[in-house]
Amino acid sequence: MKWIDLNSQEQLQNIINAEGYSVIFKHSTRCSVSMMAKRRFEHDWSEIPEGTPLYYLDLISHRDISNAIANTFNVHHESPQLLLIKGGECIYETSHSEISAEDLAEQII
């Protein structure tokens, strides 16, 4: 698996319009909790079905996109935060120590 850097509003629109599932991981490069959650998620991301797009958002550099995500999907901003998107809707959201590749994989049908 490999991260796709989420760094434009156009990419966010593509996620909204995409068929199938997309994952967004919102990460604060200034937060040790976020760093630990990212590391743990990456360790187990082989659990996630192959071909699932995994978007990585550095919210320090792209706060505007983070705000757009909160507004578009009607979720409270958290960091770190994991969102599963399908059909233009956020169908699963979790944050902090609750972030788990295994739990995410269970949501992908």
Side-chain angles (χ1 to χ4, degrees):
M1 301 290 264
K2 183 177 169 185
W3 289 117
I4 302 166
D5 285 330
L6 177 53
N7 53 31
S8 74
Q9 295 287 340
E10 181 180 343
Q11 283 178 297
L12 180 57
Q13 194 59 49
N14 290 341
I15 292 168
I16 294 166
N17 295 328
E19 292 191 23
Y21 296 94
S22 296
V23 175
I24 300 173
F25 185 91
K26 292 172 51 181
H27 175 64
S28 171
T29 56
R30 297 181 188 158
C31 174
S32 61
V33 172
S34 191
M35 190 66 79
M36 284 184 358
K38 180 178 176 277
R39 193 173 320 131
R40 190 178 60 183
F41 182 79
E42 289 173 333
H43 183 265
D44 294 330
W45 69 4
S46 62
E47 300 286 330
I48 300 167
E50 191 68 34
T52 304
L54 299 173
Y55 290 90
Y56 168 87
L57 176 65
D58 174 350
L59 63 90
I60 302 298
S61 298
H62 300 288
R63 185 59 187 225
D64 59 327
I65 299 172
S66 179
N67 290 339
I69 289 169
N71 291 332
T72 299
F73 299 116
N74 197 27
V75 294
H76 182 73
H77 166 75
E78 301 272 356
S79 171
Q81 186 174 38
L82 185 73
L83 297 96
L84 180 61
I85 311 302
K86 184 178 182 191
E89 302 287 327
C90 179
I91 61 169
Y92 174 77
E93 177 271 327
T94 191
S95 65
H96 295 83
S97 62
E98 300 299 313
I99 292 174
S100 160
E102 186 176 297
D103 290 348
L104 175 70
E106 290 175 7
Q107 301 299 315
I108 299 175
I109 301 168

